Amino acid sequence: MDNNFSTMLRPYLKYAGTIDIGADSVLRDLGLDSMRAIELLFAIEDTYGVVMPDEYLNDVAFATAGSLWAAIESLGPAGRQS
Amino acid sequence: MSAMVEAGLTEAVAEVAAAAEKYAEETDEQAVFPVQALDAMRATGLLGLMVPAEFGGGDGDLSDLVRVTDALARQDMSVGMIFAMHCQQVLAIVRHATGPLRERLLSELGPGRRYLASVTTERGKGGHLLSSESTTDQAGNRLSIDRDAPIVTGGLHADAFLITVLTPDAISPAQVSLVYADRTDLQATVLGGWQPLGMRATQSVPMRLVGSVAADQVIGTPGGFHDIVADTFGPLAHIGWAAAWLGAAGGALSRTLHHVRSEAGRKQYDASSELLLSRIARIRARLDTVNALIQQVIRRWTEEPDHTAVSFQLLVNTLKFQAAEQCFAAVDEWVELAGLRFGYQRRSPLLLERVFRDLRSASLNYGNDRLYLVNGALALRDRQVSFG
């Protein structure tokens, strides 16, 4: 997981407070709801220059910080915007 | 459902509907629970409709639930809502409770004598279903509960409650569990009254519930209420409410059509009037649209194992706000058509005034405005606009 990734996530997790965000952190438990998930999606696309396919926008990819990072990584260069 | 069970169900529904009709005016007037209809639901075993046959229940499916709710709501929308919400609780147990707890609870619920109420509202969280501020403590194998709830439908008469609380070790308000609590395990105090515009007979009073339950009485996984909502609670709430609203509006339409075609009605209405015909068509279309949405949600819920798909969640929420808006609009239009004498007065035989007040609650019952926001965010996730 990119070191900056947890810093990027934190503003979208209303219950995260000062809790450490690791790969196993359950995003829903930390306050990610469907409204904030969309804001987070836009932030990911802007920060990492990727386009998340619709089929990634589900509870599986957005389950934990680690699963979300894996989804971003799996897009690789092919998923990057020109 | 076998022909014999089917015949018994028809009889049971007729008996409960008769009790609902007989006391509807009184319970509306006094804003009190329809205990006679609840007694009939217990006596006929109708409360066991959604329990599998192996536990002595009615083995009903969602079509049965909608059919029964519709029939009851034609007499009294509050009774339809009470029944549908009980069935929602039962299905949460059927689908999410496990092991000995599931066996025990379903054996108790199967004969249909026990009535379950839902405790999900909470002060301070603004109606957000998926979070809680109610902490619990676990000491040994007991889970202590001290729960303040501003709206508990049927709270005075329930034999048991399904209550949302935080898990004992919660680190955030999102770690919510659904806990089963028998009334005898709780001290239930009513904190205030219930004097609303409509659906008065639901008597949804504010309550405080204090007590303790066995720690294994958590339905589903601890902290896993979100999964129960996505799979069962959400879809069933919206299907059940929509069926009650459609039944209430359908009952109003039926009574009015009987009136229009009666001898007295024919003197009042010109059945060849283009205004009358086009208004009737519009009202009927609203109700057919809601019915079609209910049937489509039932079909997908039954046929597709994954209830978390974006297109399904969109549809379930669309059912809720469309049913709320269309059913209310249909009755509003009838009031306009029926006029001051038949449409606007208390105790007019068409009962439009009561149904109008009842249905005004539909958009507020889990606010449409909030659901629109949720669906807006969901729709953004589906650029292909796939209908599933």
Side-chain angles (χ1 to χ4, degrees), chain A residues 14-15 19 28-31 33-35 37-38 41-42 45 51-55 57-59, chain B residues 131 171-175 223 226-227 230 308 310 313 373-374 377-378 380-385:
Chain A
K14 61 186 166 189
Y15 305 136
I19 297 168
R28 188 191 297 143
D29 287 351
L30 296 181
D33 57 25
S34 55
M35 307 296 296
I38 282 294
L41 166 71
F42 293 156
E45 295 193 335
V51 178
M52 296 276 274
D54 286 354
E55 56 268 29
L57 307 180
N58 54 37
D59 291 349
Chain B
S131 64
I171 56 162
S172 90
Q175 289 173 307
H226 184 280
D227 297 329
T308 64
V310 168
Q313 289 179 40
L373 294 181
V374 171
L378 283 170
L380 275 172
R381 292 194 197 182
D382 178 23
R383 281 167 290 195
Q384 307 308 319
V385 193

Side-chain angles (χ1 to χ4, degrees), chain B residues 126-140:
Chain B
H128 284 281
L129 184 63
L130 294 171
S131 64
S132 175
E133 288 163 9
S134 296
T135 54
T136 46
D137 283 313
Q138 188 170 344

Side-chain angles (χ1 to χ4, degrees), chain B residues 99-323:
Chain B
L101 177 69
R102 181 173 188 274
E103 300 272 319
R104 176 166 72 81
L105 296 185
L106 291 183
S107 300
E108 289 172 6
L109 292 165
R113 306 284 181 256
R114 288 171 69 76
Y115 167 54
L116 297 183
S118 165
V119 183
T120 55
T121 57
E122 200 165 317
R123 283 175 219 286
K125 68 172 188 175
H128 284 281
L129 184 63
L130 294 171
S131 64
S132 175
E133 288 163 9
S134 296
T135 54
T136 46
D137 283 313
Q138 188 170 344
N141 64 353
R142 300 295 289 179
L143 200 60
S144 64
I145 294 170
D146 183 349
R147 184 71 161 78
D148 204 353
I151 299 174
V152 184
T153 294
L156 287 165
H157 303 277
D159 302 296
F161 303 86
L162 287 187
I163 307 172
T164 53
V165 290
L166 285 174
T167 57
D169 55 355
I171 56 162
S172 90
Q175 289 173 307
V176 178
S177 295
L178 188 64
V179 174
Y180 180 91
D182 206 280
R183 186 174 203 99
T184 54
D185 286 330
L186 300 170
Q187 193 183 3
T189 315
V190 176
L191 301 175
W194 171 251
Q195 278 301 343
L197 178 67
M199 59 168 194
R200 292 166 59 79
T202 62
Q203 204 179 14
S204 304
V205 288
M207 292 185 89
R208 184 176 175 201
L209 302 168
V210 183
S212 75
V213 300
D216 66 359
Q217 289 191 181
V218 174
I219 308 295
T221 50
F225 180 58
H226 184 280
D227 297 329
I228 298 176
V229 170
D231 179 78
T232 307
F233 242 63
L236 263 292
H238 295 182
I239 291 168
W241 290 339
W245 300 333
L246 183 61
L253 173 57
S254 174
R255 283 187 294 274
T256 316
L257 290 177
H258 276 101
H259 172 66
V260 168
R261 291 192 45 190
S262 70
E263 209 181 319
R266 285 204 302 275
K267 287 181 191 150
Q268 187 191 351
Y269 295 103
D270 172 7
S272 62
S273 151
E274 290 182 4
L275 178 65
L276 177 70
L277 291 173
S278 53
R279 278 193 170 163
I280 289 176
R282 218 163 45 211
I283 290 165
R284 175 66 193 234
R286 291 184 194 281
L287 304 191
D288 275 327
T289 303
V290 173
N291 182 52
L293 268 172
I294 292 175
Q295 300 307 326
Q296 173 69 350
V297 171
I298 288 178
R299 190 185 66 74
R300 289 195 61 186
W301 190 85
T302 308
E303 291 176 7
E304 297 170 20
D306 178 15
H307 298 151
T308 64
V310 168
S311 67
F312 181 70
Q313 289 179 40
L314 278 164
L315 185 66
V316 165
N317 293 338
T318 297
L319 166 62
K320 195 270 153 178
F321 50 68
Q322 280 292 320

